[in-house]
Amino acid sequence: MFLIEKIKKTFLPFYRLSETKKIFNILNSNSKKRAMYVGGCVRKHLSNEKIDDIDIATTLTPSEVISFFQNTEIQVKKTGIEHGTLTLILNNQKFEITTLRKDISTDGRHANIKFSDNWEEDSNRRDFTINAIYLDQKGKIFDPQSGVNDLKNKNVKFIGDPNKRIQEDYLRILRYLRFFLSYSKKKHKSEIIKFLKMNLNGISKLSKDRLLDELKKILYYKN
């Protein structure tokens, strides 16, 4: 069974599956690169892990995404349209698609955003370098934050100023611990621990649902 799964991952990676190909053929019609995979699905693909969620980043605005999928078999749900996020459903499989964006202001829980068409600008507002790796529909990597190298070297690294990143969204305290448990075999940097402790009170600003979801993910790890 393990061998079969390994062969499937090698010769039929997630970006070559029929559902993902259909979606990307529509988004990137006329040979224009309007969308790429990003986040967990790319990180897990590179780490040979099981992929459960597929996130897509796009230069299209939510209204443009909706228009692209009109009169197709693909359903579009307005799950987080105020932040540029829609959910695409094809053959009972869900794909989360979000417009490239830039954070204008944050309060540790919510962000005021501005849509963008700049891939590097979108990567700058993400949390960790290993979550800012993009993959196009042919499997070519775009890595503006050098996340591939950090993934190979088991380095969980904040993008930019760690203290600022944490204060933008205090859930990143738990996310850092989750990714460190999963990917790092090194010691925590004393500077990072200092910033985590300095901002611990910010966790009280977060909703119980977001906290519970993140804690569940941590508790499900084998280690």
Side-chain angles (χ1 to χ4, degrees):
M1 190 70 178
F2 174 76
L3 181 60
I4 293 171
E5 287 299 317
K6 191 172 182 179
I7 291 170
K8 281 172 69 177
K9 283 181 182 179
T10 302
F11 295 101
L12 193 62
F14 79 99
Y15 58 85
R16 288 184 182 167
L17 297 175
S18 59
E19 288 83 2
T20 54
K21 284 173 73 174
K22 279 182 183 178
I23 287 172
F24 271 77
N25 285 341
I26 293 170
L27 290 169
N28 290 339
S29 56
N30 302 321
S31 300
K32 292 185 178 180
K33 190 178 283 187
R34 301 186 185 95
M36 288 196 280
Y37 302 98
V38 71
C41 61
V42 181
R43 186 185 71 245
K44 290 177 181 179
H45 166 66
L46 295 174
S47 302
N48 292 313
E49 298 175 68
K50 182 182 177 182
I51 295 168
D52 37 25
D53 297 317
I54 295 180
D55 290 325
I56 300 168
T58 181
T59 56
L60 298 169
T61 65
S63 59
E64 287 173 330
V65 171
I66 291 168
S67 68
F68 264 64
F69 290 104
Q70 277 183 344
N71 304 316
T72 72
E73 61 184 310
I74 298 159
Q75 289 180 274
V76 182
K77 301 286 185 183
K78 300 177 182 178
T79 45
I81 196 167
E82 67 278 5
H83 294 111
T85 300
L86 301 165
T87 300
L88 309 177
I89 304 172
L90 176 59
N91 297 335
N92 295 317
Q93 187 171 353
K94 294 181 179 180
F95 303 82
E96 197 167 88
I97 182 166
T98 303
T99 303
L100 303 189
R101 64 194 193 191
K102 178 181 180 181
D103 290 342
I104 303 302
S105 63
T106 61
D107 62 2
R109 181 178 177 182
H110 301 113
N112 294 314
I113 59 110
K114 180 181 179 182
F115 294 145
S116 171
D117 60 1
N118 186 306
W119 293 95
E120 195 159 337
E121 189 172 67
D122 182 76
S123 77
N124 287 336
R125 58 107 193 153
R126 294 181 180 272
D127 49 9
F128 307 104
T129 60
I130 61 173
N131 288 334
I133 308 167
Y134 301 80
L135 187 80
D136 73 12
Q137 70 183 109
K138 294 182 179 179
K140 184 179 179 182
I141 287 172
F142 173 60
D143 186 19
Q145 303 294 338
S146 300
V148 173
N149 192 52
D150 285 332
L151 194 60
K152 285 179 181 176
N153 293 313
K154 308 292 184 183
N155 187 21
V156 180
K157 181 181 175 184
F158 281 96
I159 294 171
D161 180 349
N163 194 40
K164 183 181 177 183
R165 285 282 93 86
I166 292 167
Q167 290 175 356
E168 287 170 348
D169 184 352
Y170 292 110
L171 192 68
R172 287 172 177 168
I173 293 173
L174 292 179
R175 283 175 62 82
Y176 168 80
L177 295 173
R178 173 159 69 89
F179 290 126
F180 194 92
L181 278 170
S182 184
Y183 294 104
S184 184
K185 292 181 179 178
K186 300 179 180 181
K187 290 183 178 180
H188 294 283
K189 290 182 179 179
S190 57
E191 180 191 44
I192 299 299
I193 292 298
K194 181 184 76 173
F195 291 140
L196 296 180
K197 288 180 177 180
M198 280 171 51
N199 291 291
L200 271 179
N201 288 339
I203 288 178
S204 63
K205 294 183 177 183
L206 301 172
S207 70
K208 290 180 181 178
D209 287 342
R210 290 188 76 204
L211 283 172
L212 185 60
D213 184 56
E214 196 62 34
L215 286 168
K216 280 181 181 177
K217 290 176 182 177
I218 292 172
L219 293 171
Y220 286 154
Y221 282 148
K222 291 179 182 178
N223 60 348

